[in-house]
Amino acid sequence: MIVVGAVHIHHCTLNPRIPVWVIVFGVAQLVVLFFSMCSLIWNCIAARQSSSSDRTCYGNVFDIFNVIMALFIFAWLVVGSIWTFPLYRYTSTVYVFTPLR
């Protein structure tokens, strides 16, 4: 998504905010993936060091951050839908594969 948005950042004539929306959406997905992996690794390390099933503080922080990011991604999806769905009547599939200038 990041690459598609970056390639078309100056070529969207209907709404120039759409490529920015695609880039931010892609970056948010990567951030969630990164922190999910950090949480998984942290929990595995904590489980090896401790025989008890207590979760560490850092694991909870990662989980809270992931919930906040999930809410942001949902809100950003709604914003992107508001920006793109009204433009559906102006689009045409005839010009989809024309080269960029």
Side-chain angles (χ1 to χ4, degrees):
M1 291 183 84
I2 298 169
V3 173
V4 170
V7 166
H8 299 287
I9 191 90
H10 299 294
H11 302 289
C12 186
T13 57
L14 293 176
N15 190 344
R17 294 179 292 189
I18 293 174
V20 175
W21 176 82
V22 172
I23 292 170
V24 172
F25 199 81
V27 169
Q29 292 292 332
L30 285 178
V31 169
V32 167
L33 178 66
F34 174 75
F35 279 99
S36 295
M37 294 302 294
C38 288
S39 175
L40 179 67
I41 292 169
W42 186 264
N43 288 335
C44 288
I45 291 171
R48 287 184 182 182
Q49 292 176 354
S50 169
S51 61
S52 68
S53 63
D54 294 338
R55 294 220 26 196
T56 61
C57 178
Y58 292 113
N60 291 334
V61 169
F62 287 131
D63 292 342
I64 291 170
F65 182 77
N66 280 336
V67 168
I68 291 171
M69 284 302 295
L71 293 173
F72 170 77
I73 289 171
F74 177 74
W76 196 243
L77 179 67
V78 170
V79 167
S81 298
I82 291 170
W83 286 348
T84 56
F85 286 141
L87 301 175
Y88 178 74
R89 62 185 148 184
Y90 301 113
T91 60
S92 173
T93 57
V94 175
Y95 301 108
V96 170
F97 295 107
T98 57
L100 298 175
R101 295 180 206 152

